[in-house]
Amino acid sequence: MNDPQFGKDENQEIISLEGSKIKKIKDEVQKNPNQFWSDCAKNLVWFKEWEQVLDWKYPFAKWFRGGKLNAAYNCLDKHLTTNKKNQAAIIWEGEDGKSVTITYSQLFRRVNQLANAFKKMGIEKGDRITIYLPMIPELPISMLACARIGAIHSVIFSGFSSQSIIDRVNDAKSKIIVTADGGYRRGKIVPLKRIVDEAVKHTPSIEKVIVVKRTYEDIITGENDVWYENIVNRESSFCPSEWMESNDPLFILYTSGTTGKPKGVVHGNGGYLTHLYNSAKWVFNFDPTDIFFCTADIGWITGHSYVVYAPLMHGVTEVIYEGAPDFPSPDQYWKIVEKNGVTILYTTPTALRSYMRYGNEIPNSYDLSSLRLLGTVGEPINPEVWKWYFNVIGKNNCPIIDTWWQTETGGIMISMCPGIENIKMKPGSGSFSLPGIEIEIVDDKGSRIKDDKKGYLTIKKPWPGMLLSLWNNNERYKKTYWEKVDNSFFAGDFAYIDKDKYIWILGRADDVLKVSGHRLGTIELESAFVSHPSISEAAVTSRSDEIKGETIIAFLVLKKGIESSQHLSIEVNEYIKRTIGPIASAEKIFFVNKLPKTRSGKIMRRLLKSIVNKETIGDISTLEDEASIEEITHELDAINKQI
Ligand code: WT7
């Protein structure tokens, strides 16, 4: 395999941060941040200019205060007077091989019709609409229709189940749910409407359920259900854009944290869109001829930012794929790249790891020569996988951007920026932070630590894409992100900076799991286990996994009188899948008599993690009863022997 180095220049040196163009830009930002960010914001269309670039009242930032704009206008209307008007905005590829192309003007009409339909149903600026749809065009259309009239969208990943819908809808007090009769997943039909029917029994705020026909299931339609096609058909194809103040919320997206309750991350308009537009320009270096394929589900932040808003603001053509990477055959992405001449592929280490397992022959049998840039996101990428991506998919010709960011950051924070310059890549490192983003690695006390030493990743200054707050919970926002380290944003990841100033992300430092790149909270999972009638206590941890990165391992204490059995283990796992969703399926369930806890009663998940990953166990002096660890180790040994 070739050494992963872009540009084929044998003498290419590591460009240290010092000598880089990024550094020059960073110095400029430091001198005059307001000028820099206001130049960035000018790439958007504003109805009214802002009065102040940043109004920072720790820990709340108001970017471009007083400015007025509309996200849907920036994604659609602005292209209608250019030659992009009749170009493809979205090429949609169905799991069944069906494909649909939607031009910018068609997308504009469909968004406007739905916006008018929402209005007719009484939706006003600031109202919340929950969207629970599979990866079909109606998903971005619904989001943009919300944005157009100033309704706040709350998208729920269509792999989540009823309980997740109930929690999220009740927190946001949404008035409407947009869903589909069913969705396709690996050839099977997920009964989305039936899941919603279960949920709406417990969501008093919901007035109407709008149903898209996708699988043509037999579904029950109640008096509050309306068919999507019936409400949009006769609507006018123009709906005026609401003038949104830059800091009015654009959406809520729920994400897992370290408590049982998901956090409603709120993003605004002006700052968020400015961050997206500019990060996409620097990182993807979008060109009008690009065919961009981001494989993320829109139910997660990557899909919000880099399937919906960023590519459409830039007017590129993008591919949206409905299905799984390996169904019906393990070549779906390569097939789509060849068929559409995809130029930029932005995907996850998990998908790459699963493809790698099938060997090189499959990707080698496709023409992937249209690709010019490869990206990854969501979890650390192993250097072997990185090299495979570079050699086999990119044919040593495409830079790889390893982009680090989070639901909370809104957009990419650390990545190489081919739109500014190509630098020598180091497989596994995202390289430097983007212009205007100041990262610092700190110790337990919040003091900056020496390079090459592992610590907590923090962000030292507010940035435009940062979350406005947590929905209805300013206190939790402050506590979670701004009080762990004084005056800095606490990201929850371990990282270090090497001697060339490259940043290396080492994974989560808290009780958040990354299963196939999807974020799940251990406590959230534990609450779901404990809600099963046979279970009294639960501790969840993870084991590293070659494909998924991490998998869920659950330690469960049964209620008195309940016997453990293989049957119960299966039943409990089915229950979890029904409650949270199939992604929450446990790799292994162990029934134990006791959980390891500290003297103050906290479950020692770190210890369980060491045990399941066969690592050495650290200090256990604070344990309530050491016997429980022995017991678990003993049980594990016994179980491992059985396999
Ligand atoms: C967490 C955020 C970023 C959008 C998708 C996930 C992990 C993200 C990387 C990367 C190593 C990464 C971090 C982060 N993560 N990107 N390039 N290398 N780890 O968003 O669900 O909010 O998860 O994903 O642990 O904190 P999210």
Side-chain angles (χ1 to χ4, degrees):
M1 286 223 182
N2 290 349
D3 196 31
Q5 190 167 301
F6 178 69
K8 293 182 181 157
D9 175 1
E10 301 279 305
N11 302 318
Q12 194 182 12
E13 298 274 305
I14 297 254
I15 298 180
S16 74
L17 185 56
E18 276 316 309
S20 69
K21 280 193 196 154
I22 296 267
K23 179 71 167 57
K24 278 194 207 117
I25 300 178
K26 284 187 171 187
D27 291 344
E28 250 171 63
V29 188
Q30 204 131 45
K31 268 187 240 142
N32 197 345
N34 284 358
Q35 184 62 46
F36 176 78
W37 289 122
S38 103
D39 288 346
C40 287
K42 283 180 188 150
N43 286 321
L44 310 182
V45 183
W46 294 79
F47 301 137
K48 177 179 173 291
E49 205 176 316
W50 51 91
E51 287 142 25
Q52 191 181 4
V53 175
L54 172 62
D55 172 5
W56 175 232
K57 293 201 179 72
Y58 169 85
F60 298 96
K62 287 202 169 97
W63 283 93
F64 313 111
R65 191 176 53 78
K68 299 269 170 91
L69 78 171
N70 184 284
Y73 190 97
N74 272 278
C75 290
L76 302 169
D77 306 48
K78 89 168 190 206
H79 304 307
L80 297 188
T81 50
T82 73
N83 56 10
K84 296 216 167 90
K85 180 179 174 185
N86 296 320
Q87 272 176 27
I90 294 172
I91 299 171
W92 176 81
E93 295 285 355
E95 192 187 75
D96 52 5
K98 203 176 142 202
S99 156
V100 174
T101 298
I102 303 172
T103 65
Y104 273 94
S105 68
Q106 289 170 331
L107 189 61
F108 170 84
R109 284 200 288 276
R110 294 183 62 179
V111 167
N112 278 267
Q113 286 181 312
L114 181 60
N116 280 325
F118 281 157
K119 274 191 167 171
K120 213 165 262 173
M121 295 167 96
I123 296 297
E124 290 173 4
K125 179 179 168 184
D127 285 344
R128 276 80 58 206
I129 293 183
T130 290
I131 304 172
Y132 181 64
L133 283 173
M135 286 286 280
I136 55 177
E138 286 80 0
L139 174 47
I141 289 170
S142 302
M143 292 161 76
L144 291 164
C146 289
R148 186 136 196 118
I149 61 170
I152 301 168
H153 58 73
S154 163
V155 177
I156 302 179
F157 172 54
S158 65
F160 281 137
S161 301
S162 321
Q163 190 57 47
S164 310
I165 302 176
I166 295 170
D167 296 342
R168 288 158 173 75
V169 169
N170 287 341
D171 189 62
K173 300 205 169 45
S174 302
K175 286 191 174 167
I176 286 181
I177 300 184
V178 186
T179 189
D181 46 4
Y184 290 109
R185 194 68 189 165
R186 295 176 184 279
K188 288 202 195 101
I189 290 171
V190 184
L192 299 175
K193 174 63 167 54
R194 255 193 281 148
I195 297 171
V196 169
D197 287 344
E198 270 313 300
V200 293
K201 290 179 191 158
H202 311 280
T203 56
S205 62
I206 293 295
E207 295 167 6
K208 287 269 178 250
V209 176
I210 301 175
V211 189
V212 178
K213 283 185 183 154
R214 171 68 188 121
T215 52
Y216 295 86
E217 295 298 285
D218 258 348
I219 57 165
I220 303 163
T221 44
E223 57 183 89
N224 294 331
D225 298 335
V226 288
W227 290 107
Y228 180 99
E229 55 182 26
N230 292 350
I231 60 164
V232 292
N233 269 350
R234 280 175 305 276
E235 285 303 333
S236 136
S237 56
F238 180 73
C239 168
S241 291
E242 190 72 39
W243 285 31
M244 303 297 285
E245 201 276 336
S246 177
N247 298 285
D248 283 336
L250 173 61
F251 65 83
I252 309 171
L253 181 58
Y254 287 86
T255 187
S256 298
T258 51
T259 73
K261 207 171 157 262
K263 301 180 285 196
V265 169
V266 184
H267 280 291
N269 280 267
Y272 173 74
L273 297 172
T274 296
H275 188 141
L276 291 192
Y277 188 94
N278 291 281
S279 60
K281 188 169 87 151
W282 298 325
V283 175
F284 300 118
N285 195 13
F286 278 143
D287 177 278
T289 60
D290 270 323
I291 309 276
F292 180 63
F293 181 20
C294 170
T295 66
D297 193 291
I298 293 174
W300 306 92
I301 190 69
T302 311
H304 279 59
S305 298
Y306 298 104
V307 176
V308 182
Y309 293 109
L312 296 177
M313 272 195 291
H314 277 273
V316 297
T317 296
E318 65 169 325
V319 178
I320 296 184
Y321 173 50
E322 181 186 37
D326 55 354
F327 186 87
S329 47
D331 59 355
Q332 297 303 303
Y333 291 177
W334 321 133
K335 206 183 262 176
I336 288 171
V337 168
E338 178 182 277
K339 179 182 167 201
N340 297 294
V342 169
T343 56
I344 308 173
L345 175 65
Y346 188 35
T347 190
T348 60
T350 291
L352 296 171
R353 286 192 292 259
S354 73
Y355 276 132
M356 205 173 143
R357 200 175 47 155
Y358 291 104
N360 299 352
E361 223 170 277
I362 300 174
N364 284 345
S365 67
Y366 287 95
D367 177 3
L368 305 178
S369 60
S370 57
L371 288 168
R372 70 163 180 85
L373 184 64
L374 303 173
T376 78
V377 61
E379 35 173 343
I381 182 162
N382 339 39
E384 324 79 85
V385 181
W386 193 104
K387 284 179 191 162
W388 183 82
Y389 199 22
F390 186 77
N391 295 136
V392 178
I393 306 306
K395 317 286 181 218
N396 307 334
N397 259 326
C398 306
I400 293 185
I401 44 165
D402 176 352
T403 63
W404 177 89
W405 55 294
Q406 308 178 303
T407 307
E408 292 85 347
T409 69
I412 299 170
M413 302 292 276
I414 300 172
S415 172
M416 186 169 80
C417 293
I420 298 173
E421 72 189 323
N422 276 314
I423 55 171
K424 167 119 181 197
M425 298 173 290
K426 296 193 185 189
S429 163
S431 80
F432 313 135
S433 59
L434 264 55
I437 307 296
E438 278 190 46
I439 304 277
E440 192 165 88
I441 312 297
V442 304
D443 64 15
D444 277 341
K445 300 200 174 57
S447 318
R448 192 183 155 197
I449 57 174
K450 280 203 204 116
D451 287 352
D452 259 350
K453 290 256 174 330
K454 172 177 166 177
Y456 300 104
L457 191 153
T458 63
I459 303 160
K460 286 200 69 176
K461 288 210 174 122
W463 65 99
M466 67 187 266
L467 69 169
L468 297 181
S469 185
L470 294 176
W471 184 253
N472 267 342
N473 209 338
N474 286 345
E475 209 32 54
R476 188 174 175 196
Y477 162 75
K478 200 168 159 191
K479 258 207 182 119
T480 313
Y481 304 110
W482 295 96
E483 282 184 353
K484 301 224 161 86
V485 174
D486 272 353
N487 281 309
S488 281
F489 175 88
F490 186 81
D493 277 320
F494 281 127
Y496 75 94
I497 295 180
D498 73 12
K499 60 178 185 345
D500 300 315
K501 302 283 177 202
Y502 280 58
I503 305 168
W504 298 77
I505 308 292
L506 302 168
R508 296 291 305 191
D510 53 14
D511 290 326
V512 168
L513 306 184
K514 275 272 163 170
V515 180
S516 298
H518 297 145
R519 196 161 147 177
L520 289 167
T522 47
I523 302 181
E524 201 179 332
L525 293 164
E526 286 161 7
S527 322
F529 277 111
V530 173
S531 70
H532 185 279
S534 303
I535 293 165
S536 73
E537 275 190 284
V540 167
T541 186
S542 66
R543 176 144 72 195
S544 17
D545 182 86
E546 255 180 48
I547 306 282
K548 294 180 176 172
E550 284 185 290
T551 56
I552 298 168
I553 311 285
F555 293 86
L556 307 177
V557 179
L558 292 171
K559 284 194 179 147
K560 279 220 161 59
I562 310 263
E563 289 287 315
S564 67
S565 67
Q566 181 68 15
H567 175 78
L568 183 61
S569 164
I570 295 169
E571 189 208 302
V572 168
N573 212 12
E574 284 306 313
Y575 172 80
I576 289 299
K577 287 199 263 178
R578 264 197 326 274
T579 318
I580 298 188
I583 49 163
S585 170
E587 164 84 12
K588 274 244 155 74
I589 288 178
F590 296 115
F591 294 114
V592 296
N593 294 325
K594 256 184 202 160
L595 297 176
K597 287 185 192 162
T598 61
R599 287 189 207 285
S600 60
K602 277 193 190 144
I603 299 171
M604 295 191 79
R605 294 187 191 79
R606 233 174 330 136
L607 185 91
L608 292 171
K609 195 166 179 172
S610 305
I611 294 175
V612 299
N613 288 290
K614 300 199 166 59
E615 290 159 1
T616 43
I617 296 171
D619 180 25
I620 51 170
S621 53
T622 49
L623 274 189
E624 175 195 291
D625 176 2
E626 285 180 29
S628 57
I629 309 171
E630 262 169 43
E631 194 179 302
I632 288 165
T633 318
H634 179 77
E635 295 234 357
L636 256 182
D637 281 350
I639 292 163
N640 279 338
K641 270 181 210 140
Q642 283 172 33
I643 300 167

